[in-house]
Amino acid sequence: MLEGLDPEQREVATALRGPVCVLAGAGTGKTRAITHRIAYGVRAGILQPSSVLAVTFTNRAAGEMRGRLRQLGAAGVQARTFHSAALRQLQYFWPKAVGGGLPRIVDRKIQIVVDAAAACRIRLDRNELRDVTAEIEWSKVTQTVPADYAAAAAKAAREAPRDPAEIAQLYATYEDLKRERGVIDFEDVLLLTVGILQDRHDIAEEVRAQYQHFVVDEYQDVSPLQQRLLELWLGDRDSLCVVGDASQTIYSFTGATPDHLLDFRIRHPGATVVKLVRDYRSSPQVVHLANGLLAQARGRAADHRLELISQRDPGPEPAYTEYADEPAEAEGAARRIRDLLAIGVPPAEIAILFRTNSQSEIYEQALADGGIPYQLRGAERFFDRPEVRKAGIALRGAARFGGNDSLLDDAVDLPSQVRAVLSGEGWTATPPAGSGAVRERWESLAALVNLAQDFAAAKPGATLADLVAELDERANAQHAPTVQGVTLASLHSAKGLEWDAVFLVGVAEGMMPITYARTDEQIEEERRLLYVGVTRAREHLSISWALSRSPGGRPNRRPSRFLDGLRPGSSTIAGRAVAGGTGGIERGFTGSSAPGTAAAPRRTSRTPARCRVCGRTLSEAGEMKLMRCDGCPSDMDEGLYERLREWRAVQAQHSGQPAFCVFTDKTLIAIAEAVPDDERELARIPGVGARKLSRYGAAVLAICAGREVGGEGNED
């Protein structure tokens, strides 16, 4: 049982008494260590197979653990998920504790949430239903009752999809309806098991007599409710082994917290602690980057990071590639994948990982165009998504009966026609705040808007019918049977997997970290998410980003701050050069310049303001400030926009005036789109007059350049 284990793994395998905490970095062989530990204990006669319960978080992980234990001669050990173990106990003890049969477990909560919304007279669309359901699930796993939801959500900095009071009302009504109908949900399985074990000491003792030794994998992902269940299983005993890595905590939005792992030695002062840091998965070059990412991290999890040591032969250095636009980035990834296939890397050993599922379409298309087989993991194919199918039906109807559609009366070109049609499906010029289903739906529709713009640029004069035919062709090409090919997956769904070659794409500000990550804790979780992505690679690792969304777009995106000091040519300071300038777009307005600054060009009546995207003459003041129609897509640097908003709030507080008196939202958007390099470029932006340029100009330019500003007004 101990042959082939390294010294630290062997220490884990032989630590069979008392509480044990295994801090295991990515690729360090934790599953091997804990399965050999169980099997060694069984072979040595210290552990009885039927008295051991090993719990983890996915059926796949539990199945893998059972398979390994069988191979090691410990077939009688129970390896289950928390829910599977709890359900088994609940089914067995329910007649004794409550009487009768266990209530039916509902497959989907959505219908009950729909009924709860109707009872509360609250209208929810399909995506709000999904997000409210997620909030109910989060509340239950964090043991939050409806009355405490608003305070708990605020403390956790959650982006509530509706007013917290409404969600609390929906949550309470949802629980009432379940009771009336005599059904339970997935989270109730854990809650009811906890309730029975708390209230019935005889049943708790019966469970403890059955299971005398516990092993918990991925302990950093335990929710408060799962931790409570584990404590009830244990009772006053300490025969527990936990395994985890705080640096891989990426599911806090579901209620997971690394606090139980980090506090283990406080709860169990005499615990044996073993650190696994020998990385058998990744090359020294990949491990060096992974360690560098965590070295810059902050917070409690960062204080307990593990410094990995690669046990593999040297491999190629990670590749960092900057592309002009997203299509070029997708084509570049496809081209590099063809090179890997040519040297014998199997397609199943290659993965493209992205931050959001909405990014998949352009990579699906690039691989399909290159004849490279692929499979999508953890998400629907782009053209299979309900909102995309529904949007396709709307576009097809508009193409057929467009002459009778009032939405299209003012749409003079293909992109504006598509925006007009999709506005009826929920697309808006600005994305919704926060994450969740509403944001994901918007991202899918925005991808169709962007696709229409690119299609029109590539084929001037194309009609809506031409675009519909293009969409059908793309959908048909991607409805081919699933094959064993290159994996396309989000970073979250890639957890626990590994490949010979990994492409991390879209690693730019606004996507990594994601725009709606605002607090320090949220930013650090985004860093950990990138760390998980890096550590999926065994040998080949490619990291890329695009300067603009579409060909010819403003190149104002920046590589992720997480790469500062790690990629060649970067430093660890906040300031970074902004690629590109104003793209040759003249931004003029009538006004005077500040003393000592370059005068802003005056717009004459002979040069009317025109949208820089679609060319339409602008008349609204807000549109003239942005130099584009409200409905036209923006290439705004969203990370910069959020930093400007935070700075503006401080200035408004100092001056005791409303935030819009510093700069309006439109002006901040215009600044975030232009990313000015100097006072001349800043002065060109409508809304930046001589007085504001003098008072705030240096601070705004510092923020645009990524430098820190302090105090009131301009940069310290």
Side-chain angles (χ1 to χ4, degrees):
M1 287 296 103
L2 303 181
E3 288 182 5
L5 301 182
D6 67 32
E8 294 78 24
Q9 292 172 341
R10 182 177 295 228
E11 186 178 356
V12 172
T14 55
L16 296 171
R17 306 286 185 185
V20 178
C21 179
V22 183
L23 302 176
T28 55
K30 64 180 178 65
T31 304
R32 177 180 176 83
I34 58 177
T35 52
H36 278 71
R37 177 181 185 273
I38 295 170
Y40 179 72
V42 170
R43 291 284 188 92
I46 298 173
L47 302 177
Q48 295 299 316
S50 61
S51 71
V52 179
L53 177 59
V55 289
T56 187
F57 285 83
T58 67
N59 290 322
R60 182 185 62 80
E64 179 185 355
M65 191 176 292
R66 285 194 297 270
R68 293 198 187 192
L69 288 169
R70 279 195 300 270
Q71 292 175 356
L72 294 172
V77 173
Q78 293 291 315
R80 297 180 175 274
T81 65
F82 269 101
H83 278 87
S84 172
L87 178 60
R88 194 164 182 252
Q89 293 173 18
L90 195 61
Q91 289 171 328
Y92 183 80
F93 290 112
W94 185 268
K96 179 178 180 180
V98 182
L102 181 69
R104 179 176 64 86
I105 302 174
V106 294
D107 295 329
R108 298 172 69 249
K109 301 181 181 70
I110 291 289
Q111 187 55 54
I112 302 179
V113 177
V114 168
D115 296 341
C120 296
R121 297 185 178 180
I122 297 174
R123 290 181 59 86
L124 299 176
D125 65 26
R126 181 175 61 85
N127 295 285
E128 287 176 322
L129 281 169
R130 178 178 145 189
D131 286 343
V132 168
T133 301
E135 289 303 294
I136 292 173
E137 291 172 351
W138 173 82
S139 299
K140 299 182 78 165
V141 301
T142 56
Q143 297 179 288
T144 301
V145 298
D148 297 337
Y149 169 78
K155 183 178 180 180
R158 291 185 73 79
E159 290 276 359
R162 299 279 298 215
D163 181 88
E166 287 186 330
I167 294 178
Q169 181 185 6
L170 289 166
Y171 178 15
T173 306
Y174 169 85
E175 292 296 312
D176 290 341
L177 289 175
K178 283 200 294 98
R179 281 191 291 271
E180 290 174 9
R181 298 173 185 182
V183 297
I184 61 176
D185 63 26
F186 197 56
E187 288 70 39
D188 288 333
V189 171
L190 297 183
L191 283 164
L192 291 170
T193 305
V194 165
I196 288 174
L197 295 178
Q198 285 180 159
D199 296 342
R200 293 289 300 268
H201 297 291
D202 57 330
I203 292 177
E205 288 305 317
E206 192 173 343
V207 171
R208 292 165 192 160
Q210 170 68 43
Y211 296 115
Q212 300 171 13
H213 187 84
F214 297 86
V215 178
V216 184
D217 194 12
E218 303 288 3
Y219 194 52
Q220 77 278 352
D221 291 332
V222 165
S223 70
L225 178 57
Q226 290 166 332
Q227 175 64 22
R228 180 60 185 144
L229 178 59
L230 179 62
E231 291 168 354
L232 289 167
W233 281 341
L234 273 169
D236 58 1
R237 300 167 298 172
D238 62 4
S239 187
L240 170 67
C241 174
V242 300
V243 188
D245 178 11
S247 296
Q248 296 188 69
T249 306
I250 60 173
Y251 297 111
S252 66
F253 59 91
T254 66
T257 170
D259 290 345
H260 306 301
L261 175 67
L262 299 178
D263 291 339
F264 190 84
R265 282 169 287 186
I266 297 174
R267 297 194 310 275
H268 304 280
T272 299
V273 178
V274 184
K275 294 183 179 180
L276 301 183
V277 296
R278 301 175 194 253
D279 189 319
Y280 297 94
R281 175 188 299 157
S282 302
S283 70
Q285 288 74 14
V286 173
V287 167
H288 177 72
L289 174 58
N291 287 335
L293 273 173
L294 293 187
Q296 298 179 13
R298 295 174 296 174
R300 194 172 182 221
D303 294 339
H304 295 79
R305 65 180 180 270
L306 300 169
E307 188 84 10
L308 299 178
I309 304 171
S310 176
Q311 305 299 299
R312 294 191 51 170
D313 292 334
E317 290 289 340
Y320 301 87
T321 310
E322 184 174 272
Y323 292 95
D325 49 66
E326 290 180 2
E329 185 179 11
E331 291 165 6
R335 185 167 56 252
R336 291 188 174 209
I337 288 172
R338 283 196 297 270
D339 293 340
L340 290 172
L341 296 175
I343 64 173
V345 179
E349 289 296 343
I350 303 172
I352 298 176
L353 306 182
F354 33 74
R355 177 61 181 84
T356 68
N357 288 326
S358 63
Q359 295 170 270
S360 73
E361 192 274 335
I362 195 169
Y363 292 93
E364 293 178 53
Q365 188 63 39
L367 294 178
D369 290 345
I372 300 171
Y374 70 89
Q375 55 183 336
L376 197 61
R377 180 182 180 87
E380 292 174 294
R381 293 174 182 267
F382 181 80
F383 288 101
D384 287 346
R385 295 171 192 168
E387 63 269 23
V388 175
R389 291 201 305 268
K390 189 176 178 185
I393 293 171
L395 290 170
R396 189 173 291 105
R400 186 176 303 168
F401 307 111
N404 300 320
D405 193 336
S406 60
L407 281 173
L408 303 181
D409 288 347
D410 297 325
V412 297
D413 58 13
L414 176 59
S416 57
Q417 288 174 352
V418 171
R419 287 191 291 272
V421 173
L422 296 188
S423 64
E425 300 300 319
W427 178 83
T428 55
T430 55
S435 58
V438 174
R439 177 71 181 226
E440 290 177 10
R441 181 172 182 264
W442 183 90
E443 294 279 7
S444 294
L445 296 177
L448 289 174
V449 170
N450 295 336
L451 190 151
Q453 183 177 334
D454 296 342
F455 184 69
K459 296 184 177 181
T463 66
L464 197 55
D466 295 330
L467 176 65
V468 169
E470 171 74 6
L471 294 178
D472 288 342
E473 184 177 335
R474 289 183 177 224
N476 290 334
Q478 294 171 21
H479 285 168
T482 301
V483 295
Q484 289 300 313
V486 173
T487 298
L488 294 174
S490 70
L491 287 164
H492 281 102
S493 64
K495 178 75 166 61
L497 304 174
E498 59 187 80
W499 296 270
D500 286 346
V502 168
F503 290 76
L504 300 178
V505 298
V507 187
E509 287 291 307
M511 193 59 73
M512 179 58 68
I514 199 76
T515 304
Y516 47 77
R518 296 187 176 90
T519 67
D520 289 342
E521 292 82 3
Q522 290 168 339
I523 294 293
E524 288 307 312
E525 181 149 337
E526 292 288 298
R527 188 193 305 275
R528 294 194 296 270
L529 187 57
L530 182 59
Y531 171 80
V532 167
V534 167
T535 55
R536 300 309 95 194
R538 298 191 189 104
E539 184 174 3
H540 304 279
L541 178 62
S542 175
I543 300 175
S544 63
W545 59 92
L547 295 178
S548 69
R549 185 196 61 77
S550 58
R554 183 178 300 280
N556 59 3
R557 291 181 178 174
R558 308 177 184 181
S560 170
R561 71 190 75 172
F562 300 146
L563 301 179
D564 288 351
L566 300 176
R567 62 186 177 87
S570 68
S571 64
T572 55
I573 61 174
R576 291 191 299 271
V578 179
T582 61
I585 300 171
E586 180 176 291
R587 296 174 178 274
F589 71 106
T590 301
S592 60
S593 60
T597 65
R602 296 176 181 269
R603 182 174 299 282
T604 68
S605 59
R606 290 174 295 177
T607 56
R610 294 187 180 277
C611 174
R612 56 188 171 83
V613 178
C614 70
R616 183 178 71 84
T617 300
L618 303 176
S619 57
E620 297 292 330
E623 293 183 338
M624 293 177 68
K625 186 170 288 187
L626 297 176
M627 291 303 293
R628 63 172 174 81
C629 306
D630 273 337
C632 284
S634 166
D635 277 337
M636 179 179 71
D637 183 332
E638 294 184 350
L640 172 58
Y641 176 65
E642 291 299 328
R643 293 194 296 275
L644 288 169
R645 281 174 55 87
E646 293 169 2
W647 166 83
R648 182 183 66 175
V650 174
Q651 304 311 310
Q653 184 177 12
H654 281 318
S655 61
Q657 60 185 349
F660 68 81
C661 291
V662 181
F663 285 119
T664 65
D665 283 348
K666 292 284 189 183
T667 299
L668 292 188
I669 292 172
I671 293 171
E673 289 184 344
V675 195
D677 287 325
D678 53 37
E679 286 189 345
R680 175 183 291 272
E681 292 183 5
L682 182 58
R684 289 176 179 269
I685 297 174
V688 183
R691 182 180 61 83
K692 292 184 179 181
L693 185 66
S694 174
R695 183 172 184 181
Y696 301 124
V700 169
L701 290 172
I703 295 170
C704 290
R707 299 194 298 274
E708 296 288 336
V709 297
E712 183 177 1
N714 277 322
E715 180 184 17
D716 282 350

